[in-house]
Amino acid sequence: GQSLEQPSEVTAVEGAIVQINCTYQTSGFYGLSWYQQHDGGAPTFLSYNALDGLEETGRFSSFLSRSDSYGYLLLQELQMKDSASYFCAVTGGSARQLTFGSGTQLTVLP
Amino acid sequence: GAGVSQSPSNKVTEKGKDVELRCDPISGHTALYWYRQSLGQGLEFLIYFQGNSAPDKSGLPSDRFSAERTGGSVSTLTIQRTQQEDSAVYLCASSLVAGGVDEQYFGPGTRLTVT
């Protein structure tokens, strides 16, 4: 099966940089995704890494190390609107099923 | 264009009753997923459909849960003899292909409360 670990909470101030780590265990790994979910809202896709290295999309970057079964989401120039839950999700297993972590609640303080 | 839609947005039901939750995926998306999210928790995979293939039901928590997808489009998740522990937000997502290589687009969810 698949399992993921990520911190439950992170707090940072506006304008700062924050990194949310994710470690995973899976069979048949295909890729690591990140989703954002605001309170009461639906998850929205942020990024996907299939290969080792850093993917940058605006203020958000995502990193993957397959040998370490590890990835992170880096958020720069934090804004109040970035306060949300962030989920890592791994695609793996024989059915290429997407399995989500339990989420990291990011609070951005003024 | 239109995103994933779900209905109803909220459902309150009595323990022991059956409920049906509906999902309309994005047109052209061949893969459809159902997840369950309890308060403050992550997303729990329930079932996914890919085209005309047999669905992957490996996440369904009990035989009270079933789902179907008609015509490769609309899907219905049915929970029979609901229990209080079934209370959660049920999310549907669709993607162009299965397997997470393409991003999943989520609907707004159905909040189910079993009293």
Side-chain angles (χ1 to χ4, degrees), chain A:
Chain A
Q2 285 81 252
S3 67
L4 300 95
E5 286 193 17
Q6 54 181 127
S8 58
E9 296 179 340
V10 173
T11 301
V13 296
E14 242 182 328
I17 300 173
V18 71
Q19 178 174 313
I20 300 174
N21 298 320
C22 175
T23 57
Y24 60 86
Q25 289 186 321
T26 184
S27 57
F29 175 83
Y30 291 97
L32 186 71
S33 305
W34 288 92
Y35 284 78
Q36 178 192 59
Q37 185 179 32
H38 287 98
D39 281 348
T44 55
F45 174 84
L46 292 177
S47 67
Y48 176 79
N49 293 67
L51 302 175
D52 290 351
L54 190 69
E55 296 279 344
E56 298 181 65
T57 307
R59 295 187 297 113
F60 294 0
S61 303
S62 57
F63 172 83
L64 174 65
S65 169
R66 289 174 296 171
S67 61
D68 296 323
S69 297
Y70 163 76
Y72 66 72
L73 179 70
L74 189 73
L75 298 87
Q76 303 183 68
E77 301 172 17
L78 282 175
Q79 302 175 8
M80 299 293 289
K81 67 179 182 180
D82 297 330
S83 292
S85 290
Y86 292 84
F87 295 90
C88 58
V90 64
T91 306
S94 59
R96 303 186 67 169
Q97 174 182 312
L98 193 65
T99 302
F100 284 81
S102 55
T104 298
Q105 177 67 49
L106 171 64
T107 302
V108 180
L109 302 175

Side-chain angles (χ1 to χ4, degrees), chain B residues 8-30:
Chain B
S9 55
N10 281 284
K11 177 71 175 179
V12 180
T13 190
E14 292 180 352
K15 177 181 172 181
K17 296 290 180 72
D18 298 351
V19 296
E20 284 190 353
L21 313 179
R22 177 188 168 103
C23 172
D24 282 89
I26 293 174
S27 178
H29 281 193
T30 61

